[in-house]
Amino acid sequence: VFTFIVGIATGLPEIIFNFYLVSLGFDNTIAGQMVTLTRLSGFLFGIPLGFAVDRFGGVRVIQLVGFFNMLTLLLVLNTTDLNQIRLGYFFVGSLFTAQATAILPLLSRVTTPTQRPLIFGVNFALLMATGSVSAIRLSGASLSMAADSAT
């Protein structure tokens, strides 16, 4: 349930954020760059964030991620400078990676060894499903914005 809620909670702001970028005068390629930046930050910081989760604990990391995610999105929404927006979205990607990494030890604590493959599989499937739904909705919204700007 947590993964599903987090997936929806991160997917909806992406869609709204794309509308915000368009309202600032940026095109759909900038929105694509933002998605790339989130993935890049996860790639670059995945292992160090895993060490942080191990050191500070999953619950504390998830609490910090929630706070810093909210703070970062508020700061991003209060700027029109593209470089600051890129930096903020890069940081949001790192926060998402930290959250995805922190949930696994917590799931390990509340499951038996025989339940773990199923629970981890469901967790991953929900993460991918909510990301895919967001991407599809994002593509639909981008196509709609492109059609509206063409008329």
Side-chain angles (χ1 to χ4, degrees):
V1 172
F2 175 79
T3 302
F4 182 73
I5 292 170
V6 167
I8 296 298
T10 56
L12 291 175
E14 282 183 14
I15 295 168
I16 294 168
F17 188 69
N18 278 349
F19 288 118
Y20 173 69
L21 288 173
V22 170
S23 74
L24 293 177
F26 300 114
D27 60 8
N28 291 334
T29 58
I30 298 300
Q33 288 177 7
M34 298 305 151
V35 172
T36 302
L37 284 172
T38 60
R39 303 308 185 262
L40 179 65
S41 66
F43 171 73
L44 293 175
F45 297 116
I47 293 174
L49 288 169
F51 286 126
V53 168
D54 189 44
R55 180 173 179 166
F56 301 113
V59 173
R60 180 166 293 170
V61 168
I62 287 175
Q63 291 169 340
L64 290 171
V65 162
F67 174 76
F68 282 114
N69 202 3
M70 179 181 63
L71 183 66
T72 302
L73 290 174
L74 285 173
L75 292 173
V76 165
L77 291 175
N78 285 306
T79 185
T80 57
D81 180 45
L82 185 57
N83 288 327
Q84 290 178 359
I85 293 171
R86 285 178 176 145
L87 183 63
Y89 232 63
F90 186 82
F91 191 61
V92 166
S94 296
L95 292 170
F96 180 76
T97 301
Q99 175 273 319
T101 305
I103 195 67
L104 294 177
L106 297 176
L107 287 174
S108 292
R109 276 197 238 155
V110 296
T111 58
T112 64
T114 56
Q115 294 172 323
R116 286 185 191 133
L118 175 65
I119 298 299
F120 285 8
V122 168
N123 178 60
F124 184 73
L126 286 173
L127 193 62
M128 293 296 106
T130 54
S132 298
V133 168
S134 295
I136 290 168
R137 295 177 82 190
L138 194 60
S139 298
S142 297
L143 290 173
S144 173
M145 287 186 290
D148 288 343
S149 66
T151 56

